[in-house]
Amino acid sequence: MRFIDEYRDPAAARAYARALARIVTRPWTLMEVCGGQTHAIVKFGIDELLPPEITLVHGPGCPVCVTPLELIEKAIRIASIPNVIFCSFGDMLRVPGNSKDLLSVKAAGGAIRIVYSPLDCLKIARENPEREVVFFAVGFETTAPANAMAVIQARRLGLKNFSLLVSHVLVPPAIETILSSPSNRVQAFLAAGHVCAVMGYEEYVPIARKYRVPIVVTGFEPLDILQGVYMSVEQLEQGRAEVENQYARCVHKEGNSAAKDLIRDVFRVVPRKWRGVGEIAQSGLGVREEYIDFDAEMRFAVSDFAVEESPECVSGQILQGIKKPHECPAFGTLCTPEHPLGATMVSSEGACAAYYRYRRTSVRASNMVPSGAETHGSRE
Ligand code: SF4
């Protein structure tokens, strides 16, 4: 298939691995930021192809995984209001809140609809003028333009019964938080290509300079990732710390100016809590004052409340590259995709889900999963 097969060529992948083995002289730890990259790495065994000196750790770039528990609880409370039609991407429905998830609200009769675009919600709002339609706007910079567009369209259409429950997060402040942590072990980053397709990569230049860390904008296919790793290791070995663009077929330095204008029009930068990580300054998007009528948190006045994470779950450490999923004692035993304790086991982009789906055999070999665990059924 054009634009896929050529980026999955096994001979070219092995050639990259050999090239890496020739240039690497000491251990390096790299973090891929995006959950989509994590899945490609685990699915295609890219990490197992690399020279032993190179370690890949998995970053916080799974928006479902980092949506704070408080917001999941707010979503559950809003979705439970009888007059509300609550719309969401499918992945959010199984993310565990404190006592239940959105799927159980749906099972109890709540009007929850899975949509594929926020613009679908406008149609639902027009068809149900007597109901409140709320869209759970979760995501990084990639999904923000479409959500902004939905708000602008809703205003143009005069829709008074549409609002967003916003949980947008921004990648550069998360990278800075990881680099500032005393427990940081990341020496180079593979930045998420799709985020940079929207935002460009100028924001990363001061981070690379300040922390002396290479940042390579990288795509999602196996050869993209291998080339991103090669470019990162080459910089590390040469003592450089620059922003480079492996994903030039999709990403330009300035990004997509129309998409950035939409984001700026509807949203403003706010502090945001990341699940498992804590609050990060200036790391999220909230609805601007001019569009406050479309902010579900204002419309429904769901107040703050105490929430408690599962004590077994170490997803915060996984999202910061400190631990890997199979190092969690609950992995594959207490925590499975059927019975997730944390969001990283739920989301299709979550690192725990990736290891469960593609690595259970090797993990079981290291005694992390009891022999009866295979009866849960593989999703392969
Ligand atoms: S395996 Fe489950 S409990 Fe452990 S970190 Fe992942 S999501 Fe949390």
Side-chain angles (χ1 to χ4, degrees):
M1 190 184 294
R2 202 159 169 238
F3 299 128
I4 295 219
D5 290 347
E6 60 265 57
Y7 297 107
R8 296 183 178 184
D9 177 22
R14 282 191 288 274
Y16 264 121
R18 286 194 296 275
L20 270 163
R22 283 195 293 275
I23 63 166
V24 70
T25 62
R26 48 169 286 195
W28 299 110
T29 299
L30 281 57
M31 173 179 277
E32 83 280 357
V33 170
C34 175
Q37 292 167 329
T38 302
H39 266 249
I41 287 165
V42 180
K43 177 178 179 179
F44 292 102
I46 294 168
D47 49 344
E48 294 174 338
L49 195 63
L50 298 175
E53 293 89 344
I54 301 170
T55 300
L56 295 182
V57 293
H58 317 307
C62 160
V64 175
C65 306
V66 299
T67 300
L69 197 48
E70 291 87 342
L71 219 65
I72 303 286
E73 280 297 315
K74 282 185 184 174
I76 289 168
R77 291 190 186 197
I78 293 171
S80 304
I81 298 171
N83 195 37
V84 166
I85 299 174
F86 193 87
C87 304
S88 172
F89 296 138
D91 265 9
M92 293 307 296
L93 265 56
R94 296 195 58 248
V95 178
N98 242 9
S99 56
K100 54 184 169 184
D101 55 24
L102 284 165
L103 200 59
S104 53
V105 177
K106 185 175 169 62
I112 295 182
R113 301 211 190 156
I114 295 173
V115 294
Y116 297 96
S117 158
L119 296 172
D120 295 344
C121 304
L122 302 187
K123 186 167 178 284
I124 296 170
R126 291 174 87 173
E127 291 169 352
N128 297 273
E130 75 294 350
R131 310 274 301 267
E132 286 286 337
V133 176
V134 182
F135 178 64
F136 202 179
V138 170
F140 284 90
E141 295 93 326
T142 40
T143 51
N147 293 338
M149 173 70 85
V151 169
I152 291 168
Q153 280 284 88
R155 176 174 276 184
R156 275 191 200 135
L157 293 168
L159 289 174
K160 305 282 186 207
N161 62 332
F162 170 75
S163 58
L164 298 180
L165 179 60
V166 179
S167 181
H168 276 302
V169 280
L170 304 171
V171 171
I175 289 183
E176 282 219 69
T177 298
I178 290 166
L179 288 168
S180 310
S181 165
S183 51
N184 173 53
R185 59 181 178 137
V186 180
Q187 295 161 298
F189 285 88
L190 308 184
H194 52 2
V195 170
C196 296
V198 174
M199 303 302 289
Y201 53 85
E202 289 165 321
E203 291 175 281
Y204 297 93
V205 173
I207 299 174
R209 281 204 196 114
K210 179 177 174 186
Y211 296 94
R212 298 285 312 147
V213 61
I215 300 176
V216 177
V217 179
T218 302
F220 301 89
E221 291 297 329
L223 293 190
D224 288 325
I225 293 167
L226 281 162
Q227 190 180 15
V229 171
Y230 183 90
M231 290 164 75
S232 302
V233 172
E234 190 177 45
Q235 283 200 50
L236 289 165
E237 290 285 343
Q238 293 173 356
R240 293 186 291 124
E242 297 164 14
V243 178
E244 292 182 323
N245 183 13
Q246 179 279 326
Y247 205 34
R249 68 184 185 276
C250 295
V251 174
H252 307 287
K253 190 176 183 186
E254 304 77 20
N256 182 324
S257 57
K260 288 200 289 189
D261 286 347
L262 279 171
I263 295 173
R264 272 193 292 264
D265 189 9
V266 173
F267 297 116
R268 65 193 171 95
V269 176
V270 296
R272 180 70 71 192
K273 190 169 177 188
W274 295 53
R275 190 169 190 172
V277 179
E279 182 161 308
I280 303 178
Q282 305 300 88
S283 70
L285 297 175
V287 179
R288 287 169 69 92
E289 191 62 34
E290 295 91 309
Y291 291 94
I292 209 74
D293 292 348
F294 297 94
D295 187 340
E297 285 198 76
M298 295 296 163
R299 188 173 294 202
F300 295 97
V302 192
S303 54
D304 278 337
F305 31 80
V307 289
E308 216 174 294
E309 291 283 0
S310 165
E312 287 92 1
C313 184
V314 297
S315 60
Q317 293 178 61
I318 290 168
L319 292 166
Q320 296 175 78
I322 298 165
K323 282 191 173 172
K324 291 205 173 191
H326 59 274
E327 292 167 333
C328 170
F331 178 85
T333 53
L334 292 174
C335 183
T336 65
E338 290 78 18
H339 301 286
L341 294 180
T344 43
M345 188 56 100
V346 177
S347 166
S348 59
E349 292 193 357
C352 298
Y355 273 65
Y356 189 87
R357 184 168 185 182
Y358 301 115
R359 286 283 160 83
R360 273 192 302 153
T361 308
S362 53
V363 171
R364 187 159 58 240
S366 64
N367 294 328
M368 294 305 298
V369 178
S371 57
E374 62 266 35
T375 55
H376 287 297
S378 168
R379 297 198 296 170
E380 293 264 62

